[in-house]
Every structure is written in structure tokens, then in C-alpha cells.
Amino acid sequence: MINTIIANFKMNKTESEVKDYLMTFLPRYEGKVDLTLCLPFTALHVGRYLCQGHDIRLGAQNISDEEEGRCTGEISGRMLKDSGVDFVIVGHSERRKKFKEDSKIINKKIKSALKNGIGVILCVGESLAERNTLKTFETLRDQLESALKGLYENELERIVVAYEPIWAIGTGKTPTAKEIGQAVKEIRRVIADDFSKNASENIKVVYGGSIDSKNVKQFTGCKNLDGFLIGGACLEPNNFLKIISLC
Ligand code: 13P
């Protein structure tokens, strides 16, 4: 059942633009879903301030894999926690590719987030080449197993898995609802194999990649899916409100 919506602002909007956004969005948001707004670091402060009193979670888009010290330009889990962050996105394909984040780094980032009391939105998904060579499930299994290595089952309660096929991100292309359902089933199978049936049923799984107000209805019927991770279509508040109202 769809009840989780996560907005990934990516590298969009200054602090004052996020302020304007929230001034439009918040009075009209009816609070019908579990909503997380993953803002740029520079807008976390204003997000925290304006979202006070609203049932909305604050998210960041990155976390250092180190705890403290000589890491110029990085932001630690402790810093994020102190800024009021509830969730952080880890393993996004844009970071895997452009910033060469491998499975070891992703695993360390997840552990650092959890250690600091921050939930994780773990992105996994296949490239077009992997899809075309029927390696989607293999890719999902590899990415999940390496990311979740060494975690305790109870820590999965603080993890949301986001199925984001790389070829669907920002392209206007999406898998079919059936294909999303199959991928989500596979994600839950990996969790069942490595943790337990109970964990596989309880873990939240969302879909991300070119969701907008025109296509979201096609996917709201996916039975094993908990929600959506939305990029471009969250950036205009009324458009984002429309998507939420359709869920
Ligand atoms: P789009 O919704 O812009 O395709 O982005 C999806 C995404 O990468 C969210 O993390």
C-alpha cells in the first residue's frame, strides 16, 4: 500500500528558494502520507524551522563514511543528526557513478547513519545494459547484500529501500507496474534470504525514476510497494501536492 513519499531535491534550490517553496507547500499539505523531504544541506536549517509542527521528516542527500576529522568538505552523521535530519539517501546512482561510491563506502555510510540515529534511504537499481542482458535481479541482489552486510535484522526497521533503475532516472521512461512489482519482489526475496521472512515483509520499498503527476496512478496499485522517491517532479510545490493527492 502506498503511504511513503520521499522528495529528493538533488542539487536544486537555494535556502531562500526552499523557504518560498515551503511557504507554498506547507499550508496546502494535508499530511496524508509519511513524507520525507531530502533537501540540499544548505536548506536543512530553514526546512527544520518551517516544518516544525508538521508531520514531515527531514532528509539529507549524503553522509560521510567517516565519523569525524580530516575529511574536508564532508558532512558527518553526528552533524546531520544535530541539524535535525531523520533520514539520509545512500547509494544513489548519481553518487555511485559521478563520485565513484562503491559498495564498501555505501556500507560504511549506512552504518554511520544508523550509529548516529539516522534512517537510511538505500537506492538500488540496474543500468540499461544490465537490464538488456537480464541481469536486473543479480544487480539488485549484489547491491543489497553488499550494502546491508553486517547489519542486524532490527536495524532494517530504519531502512527504506528505493528501487531506482538508472535508465528511468530523469528520462521520462519507467518500467511497467508489473516490472516494478517483480523487482520489489526480488528485493524482498533477498531480505528474506539474508535476514528473515518477517524482515522481508516489513521492510519499506519505494520506487523512484520519472514519477510525475501524469503517470503516478499507473503505479499506486502495486501491492508490494510502499511508496515513491521523487526527483524532478517534486520541485514545483503544486505539482508535488498533486502527486501526493493521487497516492
Ligand atoms: P526523477 O524523479 O527526476 O527521475 O529522479 C528520481 C531520483 O533519482 C530520485 O532519487
Side-chain angles (χ1 to χ4, degrees):
M1 203 187 78
I2 304 297
N3 55 20
T4 303
I5 305 282
I6 305 163
N8 178 5
F9 278 54
K10 306 194 179 182
M11 197 173 71
N12 293 293
K13 296 197 189 291
T14 62
E15 182 179 22
S16 53
E17 286 164 353
V18 169
K19 180 174 171 233
D20 291 346
Y21 179 102
L22 291 173
M23 300 290 258
T24 305
F25 180 85
L26 293 173
R28 292 176 211 177
Y29 173 60
E30 288 170 357
K32 70 177 261 216
V33 291
D34 185 348
L35 179 64
T36 303
L37 301 179
C38 298
L39 303 174
F41 288 132
T42 47
L44 287 174
H45 182 71
V46 77
R48 179 188 200 180
Y49 181 70
L50 291 177
C51 290
Q52 255 171 27
H54 294 266
D55 187 17
I56 293 176
R57 265 127 313 275
L58 192 63
Q61 300 169 24
N62 190 23
I63 181 172
S64 175
D65 61 329
E66 300 291 345
E67 287 298 310
E68 190 164 35
R70 286 178 287 187
C71 282
T72 303
E74 289 291 280
I75 305 281
S76 72
R78 207 161 73 88
M79 292 170 183
L80 292 178
K81 186 68 185 173
D82 188 57
S83 293
V85 164
D86 305 296
F87 277 94
V88 63
I89 297 173
V90 177
H92 196 285
S93 60
E94 287 155 14
R95 295 207 61 87
R96 287 182 196 257
K97 185 159 183 244
K98 190 166 170 76
F99 302 98
K100 314 260 180 302
E101 291 190 3
D102 61 18
S103 53
K104 263 204 181 122
I105 291 176
I106 290 165
N107 181 253
K108 269 184 87 184
K109 287 187 174 204
I110 292 174
K111 287 178 174 160
S112 181
L114 295 173
K115 184 175 164 197
N116 286 286
I118 299 169
V120 172
I121 299 151
L122 167 62
C123 299
V124 294
E126 81 285 2
S127 65
L128 191 58
E130 285 160 344
R131 181 178 187 82
N132 288 341
T133 49
L134 306 178
K135 293 208 173 103
T136 296
F137 287 1
E138 199 181 310
T139 302
L140 293 177
R141 181 170 287 271
D142 283 354
Q143 291 179 349
L144 282 166
E145 292 193 331
S146 55
L148 302 176
K149 202 169 173 181
L151 261 62
Y152 296 104
E153 184 173 327
N154 66 351
E155 292 178 306
L156 297 188
E157 287 164 18
R158 296 288 288 148
I159 293 188
V160 177
V161 178
Y163 171 52
E164 292 213 311
I166 298 169
W167 54 272
I169 296 176
T171 58
K173 294 185 186 133
T174 63
T176 63
K178 191 174 167 203
E179 288 166 334
I180 292 175
Q182 287 165 343
V184 176
K185 196 170 169 193
E186 183 61 21
I187 288 167
R188 294 192 189 278
R189 186 177 298 141
V190 175
I191 303 294
D193 289 348
D194 294 357
F195 294 90
S196 72
K197 186 165 175 283
N198 199 32
S200 80
E201 286 164 0
N202 289 334
I203 195 161
K204 281 198 174 189
V205 185
V206 300
Y207 166 78
S210 294
I211 286 289
D212 60 31
S213 57
K214 291 190 190 72
N215 64 17
V216 68
K217 264 288 166 212
Q218 292 171 34
F219 309 111
T220 50
C222 280
K223 284 202 186 64
N224 54 4
L225 190 68
D226 295 291
F228 302 106
L229 173 55
I230 299 169
C234 78
L235 293 173
E236 198 287 305
N238 289 309
N239 190 40
F240 188 40
L241 285 162
K242 185 164 182 207
I243 296 175
I244 296 171
S245 73
L246 292 166
C247 288

